[in-house]
Amino acid sequence: MAEKTCYYEVLQIQRSSSKADIDRAYRKLAIKFHPDKNKEDEDAVEKFKEATEAYEVLSDTEKRERYDRYGHAGVEGVHQFNDVEDIFEAFGDLFGGGGGVFGDLFGSRGGRRRRSRRGADIRCNVTLTLEEAARGVQKDISFRRRVRCQKCDGSGAEPGSQPTTCNTCGGRGQVIQSAGILRVQTACPHCSGTGQQISQPCADCRGSGLQNKKAELTVSIPAGVDDGVRLRVQGEGEASPDGGPVGDCYVFINVRPHELFKRDGSHLILQLPISYSQAALGAEIEVPTLDGPENLQVSPGSQNGEVFTIRGRGVVDHQTGRPGDLLVQVFIEVPKKLSDEQERLLRELAELDHESVLPHRKSFLEKLRTFFDSDTQPQES
């Protein structure tokens, strides 16, 4: 685990700083790194959480004394913020309009009554052929998701009855607990943060306000998607349990292996067998592509494993829109059987090249006799 930065260094203050100095330092950093100003900057969000954690300790006299004596080990029980919304729920009075550290600077985001929960996301898997992935395709998908209960219209209460306001939190969904000087807001334990209690739960959804239903969608998959790509279909996930926004559906792409082509990003690789004569003399060969056959010029003297490029016959990059190339790797195929004419011509070629080849149709016994005869012949001195 990485070592934590000193809280005084995080807030950029001295160890002798006063409470007012700590408030000013935190206010400055929180304004700089606030999520509403840095929506696409995850690093700023982490710094915002780090500054808030430092402020929680150093603004509390008792926690600050423990931290000064024992360091981070002395405040191990301090709140760990996994989400910026945890900060707004825990320190709503600081960010709202209650005259805290920020006054009305950030409006009512941190001091709102309660946060509606977003519906859960759904995952779907879709399998494509390479041709479908390359060209784009419309795919029908089906899955089960939780939607708003039709009988109770999502209230969770049996028709004819109504949810009642939670007596513990007064409908706020939050309760405030004192933690030293700070007041910490947490979800109400009796209503789980909804602010309401149901005395007569709906028989269909058992008070949850949600029901399982089968969903069927037609998803447009863009050209060029690769194996493992995740597509987001906004607003097609599960309904929120308390009227918040609907979740999303994430479609995970699986591309089946192709019989001829291998994929390397936006490029396609084709291994093409050619004959010795085609490699030596050159040839024009018809090769397959995803868009149909195309002629390839194999240059004379081509070597085994040499790669030829056909521009623009790969797969479109779904982010840039630029097509890749088809890379044709040739390998020289040696025939296992030859006709008499083929063998005669190759032997003539071997003689011209002064190459040593096996005798024509020589039996094994003849080869063996020749071997021993050459062994017994006297050597010249």
Side-chain angles (χ1 to χ4, degrees), residues 77-98:
V78 74
H79 194 105
Q80 297 292 317
F81 300 109
N82 298 317
D83 190 300
V84 292
E85 295 294 348
D86 291 345
I87 296 173
F88 297 133
E89 288 186 358
F91 300 110
D93 290 346
L94 297 179
F95 294 92

Side-chain angles (χ1 to χ4, degrees), residues 191-225:
C191 66
S192 302
T194 64
Q196 297 179 326
Q197 291 180 316
I198 299 173
S199 57
Q200 299 181 43
C202 171
D204 285 6
C205 65
R206 299 181 181 179
S208 69
L210 302 174
Q211 287 182 306
N212 277 312
K213 293 288 185 181
K214 182 179 180 180
E216 295 182 346
L217 299 176
T218 300
V219 180
S220 295
I221 299 176
V225 293

Side-chain angles (χ1 to χ4, degrees), residues 26 33-36 38 41-42 44-50 52 79-92 95 109-110 112 115:
Y26 177 55
F33 298 120
H34 196 279
D36 287 347
N38 303 274
D41 189 348
E42 293 187 4
V45 173
E46 289 303 316
K47 290 180 179 178
F48 178 73
K49 292 191 287 187
E50 185 180 45
T52 303
H79 194 105
Q80 297 292 317
F81 300 109
N82 298 317
D83 190 300
V84 292
E85 295 294 348
D86 291 345
I87 296 173
F88 297 133
E89 288 186 358
F91 300 110
F95 294 92
R109 175 174 181 174
R112 62 192 176 191
R115 174 166 55 109

Side-chain angles (χ1 to χ4, degrees), residues 69-289:
R69 291 184 64 184
Y70 306 109
H72 291 290
V75 289
E76 285 185 351
V78 74
H79 194 105
Q80 297 292 317
F81 300 109
N82 298 317
D83 190 300
V84 292
E85 295 294 348
D86 291 345
I87 296 173
F88 297 133
E89 288 186 358
F91 300 110
D93 290 346
L94 297 179
F95 294 92
V101 175
F102 295 93
D104 293 323
L105 183 64
F106 295 114
S108 61
R109 175 174 181 174
R112 62 192 176 191
R113 291 169 62 86
R114 62 184 176 90
R115 174 166 55 109
S116 295
R117 290 170 290 175
R118 181 175 175 274
D121 294 330
I122 295 290
R123 170 174 178 154
C124 293
N125 297 319
V126 171
T127 300
L128 306 177
T129 64
L130 179 59
E131 289 83 357
E132 289 175 330
R135 299 186 179 106
V137 68
Q138 299 275 336
K139 278 287 183 179
D140 295 329
I141 60 174
S142 63
F143 53 91
R144 299 195 69 83
R145 65 184 175 190
R146 292 191 301 170
V147 299
R148 181 185 293 270
C149 176
Q150 294 182 350
K151 183 177 181 181
C152 66
D153 196 27
S155 70
E158 186 69 20
S161 67
Q162 293 292 330
T164 59
T165 301
C166 176
N167 294 326
T168 302
C169 64
R172 288 173 54 87
Q174 304 287 324
V175 292
I176 299 176
Q177 298 175 338
S178 296
I181 296 177
L182 296 177
R183 293 192 303 164
V184 180
Q185 290 189 101
T186 59
C188 175
H190 292 125
C191 66
S192 302
T194 64
Q196 297 179 326
Q197 291 180 316
I198 299 173
S199 57
Q200 299 181 43
C202 171
D204 285 6
C205 65
R206 299 181 181 179
S208 69
L210 302 174
Q211 287 182 306
N212 277 312
K213 293 288 185 181
K214 182 179 180 180
E216 295 182 346
L217 299 176
T218 300
V219 180
S220 295
I221 299 176
V225 293
D226 205 348
D227 191 71
V229 165
R230 184 184 70 169
L231 302 177
R232 177 188 177 199
V233 185
Q234 192 170 5
E236 293 294 349
E238 294 194 339
S240 166
D242 52 11
V246 178
D248 299 328
C249 175
Y250 287 91
V251 180
F252 285 76
I253 303 298
N254 174 52
V255 182
R256 285 198 295 263
H258 197 274
E259 292 181 353
L260 294 177
F261 304 107
K262 291 182 180 179
R263 185 170 176 178
D264 181 14
S266 61
H267 300 313
L268 293 178
I269 300 172
L270 172 67
Q271 290 189 317
L272 180 70
I274 61 175
S275 67
Y276 169 77
S277 58
Q278 288 175 321
L281 302 174
E284 183 175 308
I285 303 174
E286 189 176 77
V287 298
T289 75

